[in-house]
Amino acid sequence: MISYCPVALEILMNMDAHTPTKRKVDDLQQDLLRLRKENEALRFLLQAMTTKCNTLEQLIREKNIERHDQFPVAQKTTQFLVRTDSKDNTLIVKDGYQWRKYGQKVTKDNPSSPRAYFKCSLAPRCPVKKKVQRCMVDKSVLVATYEGEHNHDAINGSPLGQFCCSSSTADHNNNIIFNPINFPSHGISATINNNDVINIASPSNSSRPVPITLDLTLSGSMSNQENNGSAGSPQNSSSCAPNINCESRIEDYVAYLTKDHNFTQALAAAVASSITRPPAGTENQ
DNA sequence: CGCCTTTGACCGGCGC
DNA sequence: GCGCCGGTCAAAGGCG
């Protein structure tokens, strides 16, 4: 039994603005067939993306094992940008883990906002540390730097804890925004702009350098905060956080996102719109 | 009373 | 060797 993506269906129905209200049964059946095919295409695309990510993750893991045979294992650091209220001075990032603050320091590079130091207190021997500091450029953005890996699960059991799904939770103060995420062997970068849109850009030397846009406004009621258009832009993000080491998290991201109904809806809508959009220079009707 | 935050002191690395 | 700076420690105080 094939289930239909309601978002894609709605988009397709809205696109067909010239359709008469009374249509022949044959036309409806043709539309139904077309939708079924597109639904299958969406499923295939999603499955292909998941498989591709898993394969890349496996490759990265193998490469890391090779590297670790030659060099000492470097401590893993991951950096996230989290949008919050600029008036909120607590420097608290809700990421699904429990943290104990053990220090705060004013740093030279950003003297206007102190850097807070946290240790994971969810597990007694968890080695993970976290540094949180406001972005120098945009005060509404917190730069959270994680060091080490948790030896336990988050509170809600998700790979990234509440951090990953903040847009679908009741608390909308901490909306995750990504830096341009660099997939080392892939060259793909992903950003979320001010309108809650994920931009996934393939590398310029790719055979199909077509950016994919996912409109996250479909997934909930994320507030559109005024941020002068700088917080989520690649230019600004890179100035706050040069690189993200997300190698071992790709599989977690994919697994988590593909289970998220809101994400799959947004993904389906974006892919559907790109499929159904008439190619430039062609006349479809 | 226990946990957490605050904050000044202390330590170690690094550059000059 | 000295000073700067980032990171950590630990005592004190607040809060539920």
Side-chain angles (χ1 to χ4, degrees):
Chain A
M1 187 66 182
I2 298 173
S3 61
Y4 297 99
C5 173
V7 177
L9 188 61
E10 184 181 345
I11 287 175
L12 292 172
M13 297 299 276
N14 289 338
M15 283 180 57
D16 205 355
H18 304 293
T19 304
T21 53
K22 294 182 179 179
R23 305 175 61 187
K24 293 181 180 178
V25 176
D26 288 348
D27 291 342
L28 291 172
Q29 284 180 342
Q30 281 183 359
D31 276 356
L32 189 60
L33 280 174
R34 186 163 56 92
L35 286 173
R36 281 179 177 165
K37 286 179 182 177
E38 285 169 356
N39 190 42
E40 282 303 307
L42 291 176
R43 285 170 171 271
F44 176 77
L45 279 172
L46 188 59
Q47 190 175 357
M49 287 175 67
T50 305
T51 306
K52 180 73 175 175
C53 283
N54 288 339
T55 305
L56 285 170
E57 167 63 14
Q58 181 64 31
L59 282 172
I60 289 167
R61 211 178 287 136
E62 289 171 3
K63 295 274 185 187
N64 281 340
I65 289 171
E66 290 174 11
R67 264 189 305 184
H68 296 165
D69 288 341
Q70 299 169 6
F71 304 105
V73 179
Q75 192 172 29
K76 189 173 210 163
T77 60
T78 310
Q79 201 163 37
F80 289 98
L81 303 180
V82 183
R83 181 170 300 148
T84 182
D85 188 355
S86 59
K87 296 171 185 173
D88 183 14
N89 295 321
T90 57
L91 292 175
I92 292 175
V93 176
K94 294 174 183 175
D95 52 9
Y97 294 93
Q98 193 173 340
W99 301 94
R100 182 178 62 83
K101 189 177 181 180
Y102 66 91
Q104 183 168 314
K105 196 83 174 178
V106 176
T107 57
K108 193 184 178 183
D109 56 341
N110 191 1
S112 60
S113 62
R115 177 181 297 167
Y117 300 89
F118 298 89
K119 285 178 181 175
C120 181
S121 61
L122 202 54
R125 305 180 98 180
C126 181
V128 178
K129 294 174 188 174
K130 178 174 75 170
K131 291 180 285 188
V132 180
Q133 189 173 24
R134 290 202 177 278
C135 180
M136 194 163 48
V137 181
D138 190 339
K139 300 294 183 187
S140 67
V141 175
L142 294 178
V143 181
T145 306
Y146 295 79
E147 293 182 3
E149 290 183 79
H150 292 281
N151 54 13
H152 55 87
D153 291 332
I155 291 174
N156 64 5
S158 67
L160 286 172
Q162 192 177 351
F163 197 56
C164 190
C165 53
S166 61
S167 63
S168 59
T169 60
D171 183 358
H172 291 166
N173 288 331
N174 286 333
N175 296 327
I176 181 171
I177 53 176
F178 289 88
N179 303 39
I181 298 175
N182 300 319
F183 294 86
S185 60
H186 213 203
I188 294 175
S189 65
T191 59
I192 299 181
N193 69 14
N194 310 317
N195 299 320
D196 303 323
V197 170
I198 297 179
N199 295 315
I200 303 173
S202 52
S204 56
N205 58 355
S206 166
S207 58
R208 296 191 63 194
V210 180
I212 300 171
T213 299
L214 303 181
D215 188 350
L216 291 189
T217 55
L218 290 167
S219 63
S221 58
M222 282 171 68
S223 59
N224 267 330
Q225 298 179 14
E226 186 180 16
N227 48 35
N228 300 326
S230 62
S233 68
Q235 186 182 2
N236 181 57
S237 297
S238 60
S239 69
C240 298
N243 279 311
I244 287 181
N245 183 354
C246 57
E247 294 172 354
S248 72
R249 295 292 186 191
I250 294 174
E251 189 174 326
D252 290 341
Y253 289 151
V254 173
Y256 185 80
L257 288 174
T258 51
K259 287 176 187 172
D260 188 336
H261 182 63
N262 292 327
F263 175 79
T264 53
Q265 275 193 356
L267 177 64
V271 176
S273 63
S274 68
I275 291 172
T276 57
R277 186 183 302 127
T282 62
E283 292 180 4
N284 201 16
Q285 289 175 356

